[in-house]
Amino acid sequence: MSVRSQGTTLFSAILILVGTTVVVQLWLLTVSTEALLSGQTRILIPAAAGSSLLLLINAGLLRYVYRFDRDVEKQ
């Protein structure tokens, strides 16, 4: 299996993970908005922490894709 085809498979898997985390972040935003409008502020901090963690995961995946692409270009 060539490195370029491995990169395509890797990119597809990472794209699925990013899409999933974005959907979860949108769900967290919806839950937070509903909680805020109903006066339940206890959920806001955990939802913000979870969304921040998902943002860090997405940033790490993006960094990994850039590194992999740079390494493929060197070969």
Side-chain angles (χ1 to χ4, degrees):
M1 187 181 242
S2 72
V3 174
R4 201 161 290 278
S5 111
Q6 285 177 349
T8 303
T9 304
L10 175 71
F11 183 74
S12 297
I14 288 176
L15 186 62
I16 290 170
L17 286 172
V18 167
T20 304
T21 56
V22 166
V23 168
V24 171
Q25 282 183 311
L26 287 171
W27 176 76
L28 284 170
L29 177 66
T30 303
V31 168
S32 299
T33 304
E34 288 178 7
L36 184 63
L37 291 175
S38 66
Q40 300 172 350
T41 57
R42 287 186 4 211
I43 194 73
L44 298 178
I45 299 296
S51 185
S52 298
L53 178 67
L54 291 173
L55 175 68
L56 290 175
I57 290 170
N58 280 338
L61 290 172
L62 179 65
R63 185 175 179 198
Y64 184 78
V65 167
Y66 280 138
R67 266 195 206 163
F68 186 83
D69 186 50
R70 186 179 57 213
D71 291 344
V72 167
E73 290 295 323
K74 286 181 183 177
Q75 293 181 357

mmCIF file of all heavy atoms in Angstrom, residues 14 17-22 25 51-64:
data_model
loop_
_atom_site.group_PDB
_atom_site.id
_atom_site.type_symbol
_atom_site.label_atom_id
_atom_site.label_comp_id
_atom_site.label_asym_id
_atom_site.label_seq_id
_atom_site.Cartn_x
_atom_site.Cartn_y
_atom_site.Cartn_z
ATOM 1 N N ILE A 14 -10.097 10.683 9.629
ATOM 2 C CA ILE A 14 -10.050 11.909 10.426
ATOM 3 C C ILE A 14 -11.233 12.812 10.090
ATOM 4 O O ILE A 14 -11.818 13.445 10.973
ATOM 5 C CB ILE A 14 -8.699 12.628 10.225
ATOM 6 C CG1 ILE A 14 -7.603 11.828 10.931
ATOM 7 C CG2 ILE A 14 -8.739 14.048 10.726
ATOM 8 C CD1 ILE A 14 -6.214 12.362 10.746
ATOM 9 N N LEU A 17 -14.154 11.569 12.027
ATOM 10 C CA LEU A 17 -14.032 11.952 13.444
ATOM 11 C C LEU A 17 -14.356 13.426 13.653
ATOM 12 O O LEU A 17 -15.056 13.787 14.604
ATOM 13 C CB LEU A 17 -12.624 11.646 13.952
ATOM 14 C CG LEU A 17 -12.293 10.191 14.195
ATOM 15 C CD1 LEU A 17 -10.802 10.027 14.506
ATOM 16 C CD2 LEU A 17 -13.124 9.638 15.329
ATOM 17 N N VAL A 18 -13.857 14.275 12.781
ATOM 18 C CA VAL A 18 -14.130 15.710 12.897
ATOM 19 C C VAL A 18 -15.615 15.989 12.719
ATOM 20 O O VAL A 18 -16.210 16.779 13.461
ATOM 21 C CB VAL A 18 -13.272 16.513 11.891
ATOM 22 C CG1 VAL A 18 -13.745 17.943 11.774
ATOM 23 C CG2 VAL A 18 -11.814 16.472 12.297
ATOM 24 N N GLY A 19 -16.235 15.344 11.745
ATOM 25 C CA GLY A 19 -17.676 15.519 11.541
ATOM 26 C C GLY A 19 -18.481 15.098 12.758
ATOM 27 O O GLY A 19 -19.433 15.772 13.156
ATOM 28 N N THR A 20 -18.080 13.988 13.363
ATOM 29 C CA THR A 20 -18.771 13.515 14.566
ATOM 30 C C THR A 20 -18.610 14.500 15.719
ATOM 31 O O THR A 20 -19.583 14.817 16.415
ATOM 32 C CB THR A 20 -18.238 12.134 14.973
ATOM 33 O OG1 THR A 20 -18.386 11.238 13.874
ATOM 34 C CG2 THR A 20 -18.964 11.597 16.182
ATOM 35 N N THR A 21 -17.402 15.007 15.924
ATOM 36 C CA THR A 21 -17.194 15.940 17.030
ATOM 37 C C THR A 21 -17.917 17.259 16.796
ATOM 38 O O THR A 21 -18.398 17.878 17.743
ATOM 39 C CB THR A 21 -15.695 16.194 17.280
ATOM 40 O OG1 THR A 21 -15.088 16.667 16.087
ATOM 41 C CG2 THR A 21 -14.995 14.941 17.759
ATOM 42 N N VAL A 22 -18.036 17.679 15.540
ATOM 43 C CA VAL A 22 -18.782 18.916 15.251
ATOM 44 C C VAL A 22 -20.263 18.726 15.564
ATOM 45 O O VAL A 22 -20.906 19.619 16.129
ATOM 46 C CB VAL A 22 -18.553 19.358 13.788
ATOM 47 C CG1 VAL A 22 -19.550 20.415 13.368
ATOM 48 C CG2 VAL A 22 -17.138 19.860 13.610
ATOM 49 N N GLN A 25 -20.600 18.943 19.228
ATOM 50 C CA GLN A 25 -20.501 20.338 19.667
ATOM 51 C C GLN A 25 -21.795 21.105 19.397
ATOM 52 O O GLN A 25 -22.218 21.924 20.222
ATOM 53 C CB GLN A 25 -19.323 21.033 18.986
ATOM 54 C CG GLN A 25 -17.994 20.690 19.601
ATOM 55 C CD GLN A 25 -16.862 21.453 18.954
ATOM 56 O OE1 GLN A 25 -16.752 21.482 17.730
ATOM 57 N NE2 GLN A 25 -16.034 22.067 19.765
ATOM 58 N N SER A 51 -17.110 21.111 25.116
ATOM 59 C CA SER A 51 -16.920 21.696 23.798
ATOM 60 C C SER A 51 -15.472 22.129 23.594
ATOM 61 O O SER A 51 -14.909 21.966 22.507
ATOM 62 C CB SER A 51 -17.855 22.888 23.624
ATOM 63 O OG SER A 51 -17.772 23.392 22.321
ATOM 64 N N SER A 52 -14.857 22.653 24.637
ATOM 65 C CA SER A 52 -13.443 23.040 24.553
ATOM 66 C C SER A 52 -12.548 21.827 24.337
ATOM 67 O O SER A 52 -11.586 21.875 23.562
ATOM 68 C CB SER A 52 -13.012 23.775 25.818
ATOM 69 O OG SER A 52 -13.752 24.949 25.977
ATOM 70 N N LEU A 53 -12.858 20.730 25.003
ATOM 71 C CA LEU A 53 -12.094 19.498 24.820
ATOM 72 C C LEU A 53 -12.223 18.994 23.383
ATOM 73 O O LEU A 53 -11.230 18.594 22.759
ATOM 74 C CB LEU A 53 -12.572 18.428 25.807
ATOM 75 C CG LEU A 53 -11.899 17.075 25.692
ATOM 76 C CD1 LEU A 53 -10.438 17.178 26.079
ATOM 77 C CD2 LEU A 53 -12.621 16.057 26.550
ATOM 78 N N LEU A 54 -13.433 19.046 22.834
ATOM 79 C CA LEU A 54 -13.636 18.631 21.450
ATOM 80 C C LEU A 54 -12.893 19.550 20.475
ATOM 81 O O LEU A 54 -12.364 19.088 19.458
ATOM 82 C CB LEU A 54 -15.121 18.589 21.120
ATOM 83 C CG LEU A 54 -15.899 17.471 21.816
ATOM 84 C CD1 LEU A 54 -17.389 17.632 21.560
ATOM 85 C CD2 LEU A 54 -15.421 16.116 21.373
ATOM 86 N N LEU A 55 -12.826 20.843 20.798
ATOM 87 C CA LEU A 55 -12.059 21.777 19.975
ATOM 88 C C LEU A 55 -10.583 21.405 19.978
ATOM 89 O O LEU A 55 -9.926 21.411 18.932
ATOM 90 C CB LEU A 55 -12.254 23.209 20.471
ATOM 91 C CG LEU A 55 -11.407 24.270 19.761
ATOM 92 C CD1 LEU A 55 -11.866 24.436 18.317
ATOM 93 C CD2 LEU A 55 -11.478 25.575 20.511
ATOM 94 N N LEU A 56 -10.043 21.055 21.138
ATOM 95 C CA LEU A 56 -8.643 20.649 21.220
ATOM 96 C C LEU A 56 -8.384 19.367 20.446
ATOM 97 O O LEU A 56 -7.345 19.218 19.785
ATOM 98 C CB LEU A 56 -8.233 20.482 22.685
ATOM 99 C CG LEU A 56 -8.142 21.765 23.495
ATOM 100 C CD1 LEU A 56 -7.853 21.451 24.962
ATOM 101 C CD2 LEU A 56 -7.071 22.675 22.923
ATOM 102 N N ILE A 57 -9.328 18.431 20.506
ATOM 103 C CA ILE A 57 -9.191 17.188 19.747
ATOM 104 C C ILE A 57 -9.165 17.491 18.254
ATOM 105 O O ILE A 57 -8.325 16.965 17.507
ATOM 106 C CB ILE A 57 -10.319 16.201 20.107
ATOM 107 C CG1 ILE A 57 -10.115 15.672 21.527
ATOM 108 C CG2 ILE A 57 -10.399 15.064 19.105
ATOM 109 C CD1 ILE A 57 -11.282 14.881 22.063
ATOM 110 N N ASN A 58 -10.071 18.348 17.785
ATOM 111 C CA ASN A 58 -10.101 18.718 16.370
ATOM 112 C C ASN A 58 -8.825 19.429 15.946
ATOM 113 O O ASN A 58 -8.300 19.187 14.857
ATOM 114 C CB ASN A 58 -11.313 19.586 16.062
ATOM 115 C CG ASN A 58 -12.572 18.786 15.909
ATOM 116 O OD1 ASN A 58 -12.532 17.598 15.641
ATOM 117 N ND2 ASN A 58 -13.701 19.440 16.089
ATOM 118 N N ALA A 59 -8.302 20.300 16.798
ATOM 119 C CA ALA A 59 -7.052 20.995 16.479
ATOM 120 C C ALA A 59 -5.889 20.003 16.394
ATOM 121 O O ALA A 59 -5.030 20.116 15.512
ATOM 122 C CB ALA A 59 -6.763 22.068 17.527
ATOM 123 N N GLY A 60 -5.867 19.028 17.292
ATOM 124 C CA GLY A 60 -4.821 18.007 17.243
ATOM 125 C C GLY A 60 -4.912 17.157 15.989
ATOM 126 O O GLY A 60 -3.880 16.826 15.383
ATOM 127 N N LEU A 61 -6.118 16.801 15.578
ATOM 128 C CA LEU A 61 -6.290 16.037 14.344
ATOM 129 C C LEU A 61 -5.844 16.843 13.128
ATOM 130 O O LEU A 61 -5.193 16.310 12.219
ATOM 131 C CB LEU A 61 -7.741 15.591 14.196
ATOM 132 C CG LEU A 61 -8.218 14.515 15.162
ATOM 133 C CD1 LEU A 61 -9.729 14.323 15.036
ATOM 134 C CD2 LEU A 61 -7.496 13.208 14.912
ATOM 135 N N LEU A 62 -6.174 18.124 13.100
ATOM 136 C CA LEU A 62 -5.749 18.986 12.003
ATOM 137 C C LEU A 62 -4.231 19.093 11.953
ATOM 138 O O LEU A 62 -3.618 19.007 10.882
ATOM 139 C CB LEU A 62 -6.372 20.372 12.148
ATOM 140 C CG LEU A 62 -6.000 21.385 11.068
ATOM 141 C CD1 LEU A 62 -6.537 20.937 9.718
ATOM 142 C CD2 LEU A 62 -6.525 22.755 11.440
ATOM 143 N N ARG A 63 -3.608 19.230 13.098
ATOM 144 C CA ARG A 63 -2.143 19.297 13.162
ATOM 145 C C ARG A 63 -1.518 18.002 12.655
ATOM 146 O O ARG A 63 -0.529 18.020 11.928
ATOM 147 C CB ARG A 63 -1.720 19.577 14.599
ATOM 148 C CG ARG A 63 -0.246 19.783 14.761
ATOM 149 C CD ARG A 63 0.083 20.183 16.164
ATOM 150 N NE ARG A 63 1.523 20.349 16.283
ATOM 151 C CZ ARG A 63 2.171 20.359 17.397
ATOM 152 N NH1 ARG A 63 1.520 20.234 18.536
ATOM 153 N NH2 ARG A 63 3.469 20.509 17.429
ATOM 154 N N TYR A 64 -2.116 16.869 13.018
ATOM 155 C CA TYR A 64 -1.621 15.574 12.563
ATOM 156 C C TYR A 64 -1.717 15.455 11.039
ATOM 157 O O TYR A 64 -0.793 14.963 10.390
ATOM 158 C CB TYR A 64 -2.392 14.443 13.240
ATOM 159 C CG TYR A 64 -1.869 13.080 12.883
ATOM 160 C CD1 TYR A 64 -0.719 12.591 13.474
ATOM 161 C CD2 TYR A 64 -2.515 12.299 11.936
ATOM 162 C CE1 TYR A 64 -0.218 11.338 13.151
ATOM 163 C CE2 TYR A 64 -2.032 11.050 11.592
ATOM 164 C CZ TYR A 64 -0.883 10.577 12.209
ATOM 165 O OH TYR A 64 -0.388 9.346 11.861
#
